[in-house]
Amino acid sequence: MARARIPLPTLAPAPVLAVALASLTACPGDDGEGSSGNDEVAGTDTATDTAGSETGEDSGGPEPCAAQTPAEVLDCVDAEAYTADLEFIADLRVPGSTHWQAVQELCVDRLTELGFSVELHDYGTGINVLGTLPGGDPTLANEAVIIGAHYDHIPECTGADDNATGVAAVLELARVFSTVETPRPLVVACWDEEELGLIGSDAHAQRTLDEGQVVVAAFAYDMIGFTDDSPNSQSVPEGFDLLFPGEYATLEANEFRADFLFWVSDEATEALGEALDGFAETRGIPTIGAPLTDALKTSPLLADLRRSDHASFWDRDLPAMFLNDTADFRYPSYHCFDGGDDSIAKLDVEFAVDVSAATAGTVAQALGL
């Protein structure tokens, strides 16, 4: 997850922010620029043995998903498969490093084996891995649902939560949907260079816009694995109480425990956020959502709600949703700021699996299942 662009907040009200928000008008999206490559790949064998990349049918792993409704999809998410990928991905992944390359190859190999059409999207400074699975309804062939997570990280920090948890979720959802016939096509993205300024997703979003692809929803997973049920373990951005009084009241009633999934939507994906609440409830996960109006989603005043790859789509007025555990607002080892490592041992892996399941149901709904 990209580093905060404003100082760490307190829980105190912010009258200046309140005045600014009251005077905001709609902000147009930033068209941005991004080059794109178009290298088709057939997949390699480099990462297949390191994280159980074979399909369930070949390896004796999870059974193919036979779900016919979004609710049924939740039960297809496999904890062992998720954990195996998480354990492999969680290592130093600075762009250009050996393990960065290995995770890139894992994304390529896995998506290829699952039947996706896979592309190495070389946009000049980095490489996105993009996999596409066609939908079953020809009339919806241009209406894509995107799920993605960034696979890069910063030097000298393992990055288990940021963002091995997100990449493992994306790969597990790719496995689940590889055997589910959905009306709309699914695009799975392993984005590069998020930590350098959302560069990979920016290039992907711009190319998507240039090609005229309709985006029903882009789901960005970034840090979904840390919880703390101690009182006052959760903080919020300055002014959050003014902009989201109901959500703030929920936090206050729960003594600011960091035990929930946080989602942020734009207007177009707000209904999917509400669906996510329902699916998460069936898995026992508390959720707090922050739906933003189109007048706010591109505002620099809300920088802390724009700190990951969903913002690349918002800047082009493409619908997107952010799913996360709030990063440094609850996790001391975010970017290893506390001098310790961002390691799997500090994470609530069961929570991350449940988040993956709940979001799988939400993605299935977006896909028209």
Side-chain angles (χ1 to χ4, degrees):
M1 185 174 184
R3 185 172 300 192
R5 298 182 178 84
I6 60 177
L8 288 179
T10 66
L11 295 177
V16 174
L17 179 61
V19 172
L21 292 175
S23 64
L24 262 176
T25 57
C27 299
D30 177 8
D31 289 339
E33 291 183 358
S35 59
S36 63
N38 195 32
D39 300 326
E40 296 293 338
V41 298
T44 65
D45 295 328
T46 306
T48 54
D49 294 331
T50 55
S53 297
E54 297 181 357
T55 62
E57 290 180 298
D58 295 335
S59 67
E63 292 294 324
C65 185
Q68 297 183 349
T69 68
E72 291 174 351
V73 169
L74 275 68
D75 292 332
C76 292
V77 170
D78 185 83
E80 290 185 6
Y82 177 91
T83 303
D85 283 339
L86 176 64
E87 290 175 347
F88 174 73
I89 297 164
D91 205 340
L92 300 179
R93 302 183 306 282
V94 178
S97 66
T98 299
H99 197 61
W100 167 88
Q101 182 68 50
V103 174
Q104 180 191 118
E105 290 170 353
L106 170 64
C107 291
V108 170
D109 292 348
R110 181 68 57 77
L111 294 175
T112 300
E113 292 164 1
L114 292 172
F116 286 73
S117 174
V118 180
E119 174 194 353
L120 286 174
H121 174 208
D122 185 342
Y123 52 85
T125 62
I127 297 175
N128 297 325
V129 180
L130 306 177
T132 302
L133 202 64
D137 186 342
T139 67
L140 302 177
N142 196 44
E143 297 185 9
V145 173
I146 300 171
I147 57 174
H150 75 90
Y151 69 98
D152 64 304
H153 198 45
I154 63 173
E156 301 180 359
C157 193
T158 296
D161 197 23
D162 186 12
N163 186 29
T165 56
V167 178
V170 164
L171 293 179
E172 176 58 8
L173 265 62
R175 182 195 66 78
V176 167
F177 286 109
S178 68
T179 57
V180 178
E181 185 172 336
T182 59
R184 293 189 175 96
L186 175 65
V187 176
V188 173
C190 295
W191 290 308
D192 198 3
E193 295 187 314
E194 187 266 2
E195 299 289 1
L196 299 178
L198 318 184
I199 299 174
S201 60
D202 188 75
H204 181 205
Q206 183 60 43
R207 195 184 73 169
T208 298
L209 187 67
D210 292 342
E211 293 178 347
Q213 174 74 65
V214 175
V215 177
V216 173
F219 295 86
Y221 300 81
D222 195 350
M223 304 186 64
I224 59 170
F226 183 80
T227 63
D228 187 341
D229 61 4
S230 304
N232 299 313
S233 54
Q234 182 71 52
S235 64
V236 298
E238 187 174 354
F240 186 88
D241 55 331
L242 302 175
L243 188 58
F244 303 104
E247 289 76 8
Y248 187 86
T250 299
L251 283 169
E252 196 169 33
N254 196 38
E255 298 182 288
F256 293 98
R257 288 180 169 86
D259 60 357
F260 59 92
L261 169 67
F262 186 59
W263 58 265
V264 186
S265 76
D266 54 8
E267 290 182 18
T269 57
E270 182 176 355
L272 290 171
E274 293 170 355
L276 173 61
D277 289 340
F279 292 126
E281 185 176 6
T282 69
R283 299 294 291 233
I285 305 174
T287 56
I288 292 181
L292 301 181
T293 65
D294 289 340
L296 294 177
K297 67 181 181 182
T298 57
S299 171
L301 293 172
L302 299 180
D304 274 312
L305 301 184
R306 291 175 40 84
R307 282 170 51 186
S308 195
D309 294 303
H310 62 296
S312 297
F313 293 86
W314 283 358
D315 286 344
R316 293 161 177 83
D317 205 25
L318 298 173
M321 177 182 294
F322 179 34
L323 304 115
N324 75 114
D325 62 20
T326 77
D328 45 330
F329 295 107
R330 72 168 63 166
Y331 186 32
S333 293
Y334 166 75
H335 279 199
C336 296
F337 281 166
D338 64 352
D341 194 16
D342 173 10
S343 63
I344 293 176
K346 297 178 180 178
L347 303 185
D348 183 345
V349 177
E350 183 179 356
F351 177 83
V353 171
D354 285 335
V355 168
S356 301
T359 56
T362 312
V363 171
Q365 184 162 315
L367 287 165
L369 188 64

